[in-house]
Amino acid sequence: MSVKSRLMALGLVSLGLYGCGSENASQKSEPIRSVYVTIPQTESSTAVRTFTSAVEEGKSVNASFKTGGQIKRLSFKEGDRVFKGAVLGVLDDVDYKLQFQQVQTQYDQLASELSRLEEMYRRNNIAPNDYEKAKAGLEQLKAQLDLVKRQLAYTRLEAPASGYIVERYMEEGEMTGAGTPVYKILDNSSLETSVSLPASVYAMRGEIASCVGKSMATGDREIPLEIINYVPDGDNNALFRLRLRIPTEYRNRLLPGMNMTVSIRFNKEVGFASAIIPSRAVFEKNGKEYVWVVNRKDSSVRLKEVKRVGMHRGDKSEVLGLDGSEEIVAAGVHHISAGEKVSVAGDIAFIKKEGCHD
């Protein structure tokens, strides 16, 4: 074999070896990712749903003077209990009293004059037009007198409702205008609570049979709750507010801010077609929400679109789009790609026990 032929043969062998090395390098597989999974907890058969809430005041009202002036005295401070009609404060009323006395004097004088003119009118000693003018003038003064009398009364600020002073906006000696809030009163004549319903529960509101609440302040005794109304506009988490009235006999035992558990009972078992999954299992992509579903046959993952309809028990979310048979990735969802092979390391419960994180 000639030298040229040998060189060509060596070149082909080298290319072959290089090609085999490249093929082996490209066929070298990346490490398979280990994932923790969970099976959705379905909410498709239940007659009772439980939510956490807090006691709220039925309403709060601002107390303000109906006329302006300098505040002479304020009788209550924040935290004080007041009853409807109690005098909360008074304005400096010197100017109002002087104005009232002035108009009262003018009215008395004209009233006396009108009595004299009326007698003359009966005797035809005065023109009817003059008498009518005097009579109209007295009526105008009467209206003016009533006005200044009301303004004088408005220098006293009375509590519009019974309750507790939660805020005092002004101090003695300050100038205030008509309608400027001086106090904020928490009206304890009625209490209520509210819960945020996921869309699946809100859709079944017509099947609600009753609502009851429990609070440690009442010894976990069931408290019947009356539905006030629903707020039909969902918030950013697609939750709909349900307002509930607490019976008046509990208003002295329950205070705004106290925790309460609300149980909503339905007329029958109803299907919500929703599932409870860890919030970390849901991720967003192109404006939509997804989870990763594991295919045990080939250990691959695929996208499945869901719709989050609300938060549930803290670190979990309620979603639509799962039937409860899927096995979904519960942690590390942002590091996976479609079709990727995974190795199931265990249930999400192990993450909590071992203190693992995404």
Side-chain angles (χ1 to χ4, degrees):
M1 181 181 295
S2 65
V3 175
K4 184 175 180 181
S5 299
R6 290 177 180 177
L7 291 174
M8 291 179 65
L10 288 172
L12 291 173
V13 171
S14 299
L15 288 173
L17 291 174
Y18 176 78
C20 290
S22 299
E23 183 177 353
N24 290 337
S26 64
Q27 291 178 349
K28 187 178 180 180
S29 60
E30 296 182 359
I32 296 178
R33 192 185 309 277
S34 295
V35 296
Y36 286 91
V37 298
T38 188
I39 296 177
Q41 174 188 349
T42 58
E43 296 284 325
S44 58
S45 181
T46 181
V48 179
R49 292 296 298 272
T50 302
F51 302 87
T52 57
S53 67
V55 178
E56 306 167 0
E57 69 275 10
K59 61 181 179 179
S60 60
V61 294
N62 287 327
S64 56
F65 288 99
K66 294 183 179 181
T67 190
Q70 185 178 32
I71 298 175
K72 182 178 180 180
R73 186 179 76 251
L74 293 177
S75 306
F76 295 89
K77 60 182 182 301
E78 293 179 359
D80 287 347
R81 185 177 183 181
V82 298
F83 295 93
K84 184 176 181 179
V87 179
L88 303 177
V90 295
L91 297 177
D92 185 347
D93 60 358
V94 173
D95 292 340
Y96 289 100
K97 284 182 177 179
L98 290 174
Q99 186 178 11
F100 173 74
Q101 291 172 358
Q102 180 182 5
V103 178
Q104 181 71 62
T105 299
Q106 293 175 353
Y107 177 82
D108 292 341
Q109 290 176 349
L110 186 55
S112 177
E113 179 68 15
L114 186 63
S115 296
R116 188 180 66 84
L117 293 176
E118 186 175 6
E119 181 64 25
M120 296 176 64
Y121 175 71
R122 282 199 297 267
R123 296 178 180 179
N124 294 321
N125 293 331
I126 186 176
N129 188 42
D130 292 338
Y131 172 72
E132 291 299 329
K133 285 182 179 179
K135 188 177 178 181
L138 185 64
E139 291 177 354
Q140 291 178 356
L141 271 178
K142 178 64 168 59
Q144 188 177 353
L145 182 62
D146 290 341
L147 176 61
V148 295
K149 187 184 294 185
R150 285 198 302 270
Q151 288 177 333
L152 180 59
Y154 290 160
T155 60
R156 290 163 53 92
L157 175 59
E158 297 182 354
S162 298
Y164 292 88
I165 303 292
V166 292
E167 286 191 68
R168 191 169 105 171
Y169 300 110
M170 307 195 76
E171 298 297 331
E172 294 176 356
E174 289 189 273
M175 297 295 296
T176 183
T180 302
V182 178
Y183 289 101
K184 181 178 181 180
I185 300 175
L186 187 67
D187 184 358
N188 66 345
S189 61
S190 63
L191 294 174
E192 61 183 63
T193 188
S194 63
V195 295
S196 297
L197 303 179
S200 55
V201 179
Y202 177 73
M204 303 302 299
R205 60 192 180 279
E207 296 293 337
I208 293 178
S210 64
C211 301
V212 296
K214 286 186 178 182
S215 172
M216 292 183 65
T218 57
D220 279 345
R221 178 182 178 182
E222 283 195 349
I223 303 170
L225 303 174
E226 177 188 353
I227 295 177
I228 300 175
N229 58 29
Y230 299 89
V231 179
D233 293 332
D235 59 17
N236 293 334
N237 292 321
L239 297 176
F240 298 83
R241 186 176 175 220
L242 166 61
R243 295 177 58 224
L244 300 160
R245 181 177 290 109
I246 299 173
T248 55
E249 57 263 33
Y250 291 93
R251 65 186 179 188
N252 293 326
R253 302 177 64 184
L254 296 173
L255 296 175
M258 288 184 173
N259 292 329
M260 175 175 283
T261 300
V262 175
S263 296
I264 300 177
R265 297 168 180 169
F266 295 86
N267 290 316
K268 59 183 179 180
E269 289 193 348
V270 291
F272 294 110
S274 64
I276 307 301
I277 61 175
S279 295
R280 67 178 70 185
V282 185
F283 62 97
E284 187 175 331
K285 183 178 182 181
N286 298 328
K288 297 182 178 180
E289 293 177 313
Y290 297 92
V291 296
W292 290 113
V293 177
V294 178
N295 184 351
R296 283 287 187 148
K297 292 182 179 180
D298 60 3
S299 298
S300 64
V301 294
R302 62 181 176 86
L303 282 175
K304 186 161 189 179
E305 184 178 351
V306 296
K307 181 180 180 181
R308 186 166 8 210
V309 294
M311 304 302 295
H312 192 89
R313 293 190 290 272
D315 62 345
K316 294 184 178 181
S317 294
E318 184 168 7
V319 300
L320 302 177
L322 299 174
D323 58 22
S325 65
E326 305 92 339
E327 197 171 32
I328 65 172
V329 177
V333 296
H334 299 287
H335 311 296
I336 302 175
S337 56
E340 181 179 342
K341 304 288 185 179
V342 296
S343 173
V344 176
D347 190 85
I348 185 63
F350 292 118
I351 295 181
K352 296 180 179 179
K353 290 179 181 179
E354 300 173 8
C356 300
H357 300 280
D358 287 358

